[in-house]
Structures are given as structure tokens and as C-alpha cells.
Amino acid sequence: MYISISLMGYRITNSRCLVLCVILTFVMGCYLASLPIEEEKPALLKQSVAEIPTINTNKKRLAIIVPFRDRFEELLEFVPHMTAFLKRQEIPFHIFVVQQKDSNRFNRASLINVGFLQTRNNFEYMAMHDVDLLPLNDNLKYEYPEAGPYHISSPDTHPRYYYKTFIGGILLIKREHYELVNGMSNNYWGWGLEDDEFYVRLKDAGLTVTRPSNITTGRENTFRHMHDKTYRKRDMRKCYNQREVTRRRDRRTGLHDVAHRVLSLHTLTIDGLPLTVLNVELICDRNATPWCQCPEPPKPKKT
């Protein structure tokens, strides 16, 4: 009798524990279900935009924006050269390499738009700067362009391009003017013409581009142009209706709608000299600009 009661008591105790566990599980489930659901956000930046490097100074601060892809050899020379060059002029600056990390064709203008968006809160003006063009003449001043855009690599001294409306290579522009013209067009995938379209934007906004004067050096010795056309061929392909669209003034795209994601931000040094690399994915609207990826030309048949 005693054993039977003990066993019965044992069974009763287990049943109570089981019921209690079920009740606790139900209560916890209801509590978790009542919590707000937050979507997981991708970690796009290893540092926040607020941690973009800045400079404490009373002078106007210059962001050197370098649109970039697979040009490491040039970058190794660019950073030490530009650091020494700008320090001689006592310009407060920082170098930002905006590297395109996607499978689309190179889009220099969109990368400059992204670089501006990331730096405009901390820098009063920027230099749109090719990585393969190094200034050699100290009379080429990188000072704040108060009056309007200042084209350092003018047609009179650029080693390759001589036409009157050329504004590529190195162009200084203050924050307000870049915003005024809505930045650069995002339509230019592949090499060329984005600067020509930007020149028209500046002209339409009533801005006058000025250039260095009293430069005694010429096209052979004002700049060092590091581009090796046999080693790095420019992507000059034209596909779909690219040729037609990119010959017109773009009144639709610009700074306000550059589709992109900043994948990561890195603070690096070259020879102990600081720079910041932003890895960027540019997002192509294939309906608007299908030429962001041109079909590969057919390979010749073997005979």
C-alpha cells in the first residue's frame, strides 16, 4: 500500500512538472511573438559615415576623390607624390579611393558622385582626380576654388587631350557648385565622355571653368601620365543605344539618384601615408542603361 502511494505520488509530481513546462513554454512563446520584428540589415560599412576622416583646421578642407579599379601600381606612386605635393602648398586634404567592386563596366562619374556623398559633410571642396595623372609643376595650385570650378589639367598642359572644352584629369570644385549641377551623369559605363557632359552641366548652371595661368611648362613636363595603353586597354566598346544616349545632355540622372552600396570602408597607409578606401557596388538599371554590361564579342572560329 505504501509503495503504491509513493509511486502514485511520483506520477503526480511528474505530471505537474510537465504541465508547468507546457505553461512556461506557451508564455515565453507569446512574449517572443509580441516583440517587434526587425529586419536584419546588411553590414555595409565597417565604419559609419560619421567616421570618415576629417581635419581640424580653419582652412577649407580638400577631399581628393580618386575613382578606381585595379590600378594598384599607380596608387603606390600616387599617394606619396600627391601627399608631398599638397604638403608643400599647405593644403589640408585627405585622399579617398573609391573602388568599384562589381561586375559592371567601370563608371567613373558614378564613383565620383559616391565619393562626394561620403565626404561632403567633412570637406568643403573636392578634386576629381585621375590616379594616373601626377602634377609636376608647383605652380599648379590646389587652393579652394571660390569663384568656380578650377581645371588644373588644362588642354594647354595635359599630355594627351587638347580640345577647348576638356575638363577631365583633375578638376577642383566646391561643395555648393557640385550640388548645384546635381553632380555627374550616371549613364557613362565604360570609358569616356562623362567629363564632356559635365562641362555642359556647368555651363548650363552659369558656372565658368578657370584654368592655371602663367604656367611655363608644357605638355611634356607639367604632368606625369602613368597610363600604359598596351597594359591597360580602355573599355571603349559601344553597345545597345549607348552611343546615341551618351551624346546628349542627361537631365535625368545625377548626384541625387546614384544607385550604389558602400560595401566597406578601410583606412590604409602607403609608405606610412594615410588614405581611405571605399569599396562600392554600383547598381545598374538594365532597362535604362543596358550598356553597363556589353555582350562579349564573338570569338573567331578556329579553322
Side-chain angles (χ1 to χ4, degrees):
M1 189 70 169
Y2 177 79
I3 293 175
S4 176
I5 293 172
S6 297
L7 290 174
M8 183 67 72
Y10 178 77
R11 291 191 185 98
I12 291 173
T13 301
N14 275 355
S15 299
R16 288 178 176 175
C17 288
L18 180 60
V19 171
L20 182 61
C21 288
V22 170
I23 293 173
L24 287 175
T25 301
F26 176 76
V27 171
M28 286 300 297
C30 292
Y31 171 73
L32 292 174
S34 68
L35 293 176
I37 298 175
E38 295 184 2
E39 295 182 2
E40 183 179 356
K41 297 180 180 179
L44 299 183
L45 283 176
K46 291 188 176 179
Q47 302 179 42
S48 69
V49 174
E51 293 176 300
I52 287 284
T54 188
I55 303 166
N56 294 320
T57 178
N58 293 326
K59 292 184 176 182
K60 304 292 187 182
R61 297 161 295 184
L62 170 64
I64 305 286
I65 305 296
V66 183
F68 187 86
R69 177 187 264 173
D70 301 331
R71 305 291 292 272
F72 187 68
E73 294 83 358
E74 288 93 333
L75 189 63
L76 289 177
E77 297 194 51
F78 180 87
V79 172
H81 180 94
M82 291 307 303
T83 299
F85 190 89
L86 294 173
K87 280 188 174 181
R88 288 197 296 272
Q89 298 186 17
E90 298 182 345
I91 302 291
F93 74 97
H94 190 79
I95 297 172
F96 295 90
V97 176
V98 188
Q99 178 168 224
Q100 186 172 338
K101 299 287 287 185
D102 53 61
S103 60
N104 296 318
R105 301 169 72 194
F106 189 64
N107 191 323
R108 177 177 178 270
S110 289
L111 293 175
I112 292 173
N113 282 341
V114 173
F116 178 81
L117 289 173
Q118 293 293 317
T119 61
R120 64 179 172 181
N121 291 335
N122 296 339
F123 294 82
E124 286 75 26
Y125 68 119
M126 75 168 172
M128 301 154 54
H129 212 302
D130 288 352
V131 72
D132 60 3
L133 194 64
L134 303 180
L136 302 177
N137 189 326
D138 282 328
N139 290 320
L140 299 171
K141 301 301 182 182
Y142 280 67
E143 296 168 345
Y144 182 69
E146 179 66 50
Y150 186 66
H151 186 216
I152 289 181
S153 52
S154 76
D156 295 330
T157 56
H158 193 282
R160 184 179 174 92
Y161 301 108
Y162 316 141
Y163 59 95
K164 183 179 179 181
T165 58
F166 170 69
I167 58 169
I170 309 167
L171 180 73
L172 304 185
I173 186 168
K174 67 181 185 179
R175 182 168 54 197
E176 294 80 3
H177 285 166
Y178 198 74
E179 292 173 338
L180 175 66
V181 300
N182 191 25
M184 302 185 79
S185 168
N186 298 310
N187 287 342
Y188 291 84
W189 304 91
W191 181 85
L193 297 180
E194 74 283 344
D195 291 313
D196 295 341
E197 199 276 344
F198 190 59
Y199 177 85
V200 178
R201 291 187 177 215
L202 297 175
K203 184 178 178 181
D204 287 351
L207 298 175
T208 301
V209 176
T210 58
R211 297 185 170 102
S213 58
N214 301 321
I215 300 298
T216 57
T217 50
R219 294 191 177 110
E220 298 79 20
N221 56 354
T222 304
F223 298 94
R224 181 184 169 203
H225 194 215
M226 296 186 289
H227 186 84
D228 185 346
K229 62 182 179 181
T230 59
Y231 176 58
R232 297 190 184 279
K233 295 183 179 180
R234 292 186 170 96
D235 180 5
M236 303 180 70
R237 294 172 295 167
K238 298 290 184 288
C239 58
Y240 301 101
N241 59 333
Q242 178 179 6
R243 191 180 302 276
E244 174 189 353
V245 173
T246 55
R247 289 288 180 181
R248 299 195 303 260
R249 164 77 157 90
D250 176 16
R251 300 184 183 277
R252 184 179 61 86
T253 76
L255 182 65
H256 73 288
D257 68 346
V258 55
H260 71 285
R261 291 197 308 155
V262 177
L263 302 175
S264 60
L265 182 151
H266 304 277
T267 300
L268 307 178
T269 60
I270 293 178
D271 294 343
L273 305 171
L275 68 149
T276 297
V277 176
L278 294 102
N279 288 324
V280 174
E281 176 190 359
L282 297 179
I283 301 169
C284 172
D285 180 352
R286 297 296 297 273
N287 293 320
T289 57
W291 54 87
C292 64
Q293 293 189 8
C294 278
E296 292 295 329
K299 296 181 180 179
K301 295 181 180 180
K302 295 181 180 180
T303 56

